[in-house]
């Protein structure tokens, strides 16, 4: 996808209870709650730096910036229209964000010289040797994996400062290879399952590692996303804790 995203093809969507209003394509790849959870899990403070690999329209990085004033934001995005959209979203929401255009495995030389306190990623979920490509080019670029997951982790670890953190959100079925890749490059691994409802299997996980960390692996209690056993009412039906994360900007704490 190389053509620019025209205004008539975009929607304006509210995040964090309206603290952010972000432009997204009406058709093609649209960010949901996953990048919001990812941003909420980052334990950042003013003066620190964050890199969002494959930043798309900037949802995860900008949510992190809105929650953490004074956090320096950087993104890397290979699809030029989305890189431009991330820059526009940052400007329209009064946030500063440097967005580099380039591929994960061949990133701009300037970015290769910088390391960050936090590196986050919401990589493509679906292996294309085991799933069907999306018809929309931009959606396929965001959801269909053509760069191995291990490469995402290796690049993230390289761009992370000693003592800094790498955090990914991903599908639970990819957890074995994700854990293996993290263990090769990072320590002090922590896993937070995201459960659709109480008693259900996790579909998503958050995995965090520390550059140079030496603490034992920690498997935390899962975060239950929705109330009740079934979805039997209108609306999202989020649990109170999740509502506070999505709408009020509360942190997503791995171990309360």
């Amino acid at each position: 996808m190389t053509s620019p995203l025209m205004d008539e093809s975009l929607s304006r969507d509210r995040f964090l209870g309206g603290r952010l209003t972000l432009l997204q394509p009406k058709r093609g790849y649209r960010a949901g709650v996953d990048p919001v959870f990812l941003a909420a899990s980052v334990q950042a403070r003013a003066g620190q730096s964050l890199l969002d690999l494959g930043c798309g329209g900037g949802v995860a990085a900008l949510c992190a910036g809105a929650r953490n004033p004074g956090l320096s934001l950087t993104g890397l995005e290979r699809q030029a229209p989305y890189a431009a959209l991330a820059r526009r979203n940052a400007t329209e929401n009064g946030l500063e964000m440097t967005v580099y255009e380039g591929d994960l495995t061949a990133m701009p030389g300037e970015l290769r010289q910088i390391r960050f306190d936090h590196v986050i990623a919401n990589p493509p979920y679906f292996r294309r040797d085991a799933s069907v490509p999306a018809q929309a080019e931009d959606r396929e670029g965001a959801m269909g994996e053509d760069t191995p997951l291990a490469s995402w982790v290796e690049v993230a670890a390289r761009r992370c400062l000693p003592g800094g953190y790498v955090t990914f959100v991903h599908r639970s079925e990819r957890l074995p290879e994700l854990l293996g890749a993290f263990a090769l490059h990072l320590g002090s691994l922590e896993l937070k399952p995201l459960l659709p409802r109480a008693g259900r299997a996790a579909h998503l996980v958050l995995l965090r590692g520390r550059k140079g960390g030496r603490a034992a692996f920690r498997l935390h209690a899962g975060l239950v996303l929705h109330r009740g056993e079934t979805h039997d009412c209108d609306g999202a039906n989020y649990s109170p804790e999740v509502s506070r994360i999505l709408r009020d900007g509360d942190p997503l704490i791995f171990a309360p």
Side-chain angles (χ1 to χ4, degrees):
M1 179 182 179
T2 57
S3 59
L5 295 168
M6 300 293 101
D7 281 6
E8 59 269 20
S9 70
L10 302 172
S11 65
R12 290 185 178 271
D13 301 309
R14 290 158 53 90
F15 289 83
L16 301 182
R19 289 165 62 182
L20 291 173
T21 300
L22 302 177
L23 293 164
Q24 297 200 87
K26 294 177 181 177
R27 301 183 63 183
Y29 174 72
R30 292 173 56 82
V33 297
D34 302 4
V36 185
F37 289 138
L38 176 61
S41 73
V42 175
Q43 298 178 336
R45 61 179 183 271
Q48 290 189 328
S49 57
L50 176 143
L51 170 64
D52 184 1
L53 293 174
C55 68
V59 174
L62 294 174
C63 282
R67 293 181 61 257
N68 301 279
L71 181 64
S72 175
L73 304 176
T74 301
L76 174 67
E77 174 53 45
R78 70 177 182 177
Q79 298 190 72
Y82 280 92
L85 190 61
R87 297 185 190 104
R88 181 176 174 184
N89 277 331
T91 298
E92 292 193 4
N93 284 273
L95 294 169
E96 293 186 9
M97 180 177 175
T98 301
V99 181
Y100 292 91
E101 186 182 327
D103 190 81
L104 181 77
T105 57
M107 65 177 57
E110 182 181 351
L111 183 55
R112 290 201 302 269
Q113 306 305 312
I114 309 172
R115 291 196 286 179
F116 300 84
D117 297 291
H118 301 275
V119 182
I120 63 174
N122 181 14
Y125 285 163
F126 302 110
R127 291 175 49 176
R128 280 306 174 237
D129 59 356
S131 57
V132 178
Q135 292 184 353
E137 183 182 350
D138 59 338
R139 185 172 179 83
E140 172 60 19
M143 300 301 291
E145 178 185 296
D146 56 16
T147 299
L149 186 55
S151 296
W152 282 81
V153 177
E154 180 181 3
V155 170
R158 285 181 178 176
R159 299 276 60 79
C160 189
L161 284 163
Y165 293 91
V166 173
T167 310
F168 278 34
V169 62
H170 217 292
R171 299 279 294 181
S172 58
E173 62 259 32
R174 306 296 301 277
L175 181 57
E177 61 186 296
L178 187 62
L179 275 170
F182 264 61
L184 284 175
H185 304 285
L186 302 158
S188 304
L189 304 188
E190 298 184 71
L191 177 65
K192 183 76 170 178
L194 304 180
L195 314 177
R197 298 185 186 278
R200 302 279 185 89
H203 294 165
L204 292 172
V205 296
L206 285 161
L207 182 62
R208 180 168 67 206
R210 191 171 193 185
K211 186 74 169 285
R214 296 179 179 274
F217 170 75
R218 298 182 69 186
L219 172 58
H220 296 289
L223 174 65
V224 177
L225 304 187
H226 298 94
R227 300 192 305 269
E229 297 181 359
T230 60
H231 193 172
D232 53 7
C233 64
D234 293 335
N237 195 32
Y238 289 120
S239 67
E241 181 179 359
V242 168
S243 291
R244 290 191 295 270
I245 291 169
L246 296 178
R247 296 168 184 158
D248 301 335
D250 276 15
L252 193 162
I253 301 173
F254 273 47

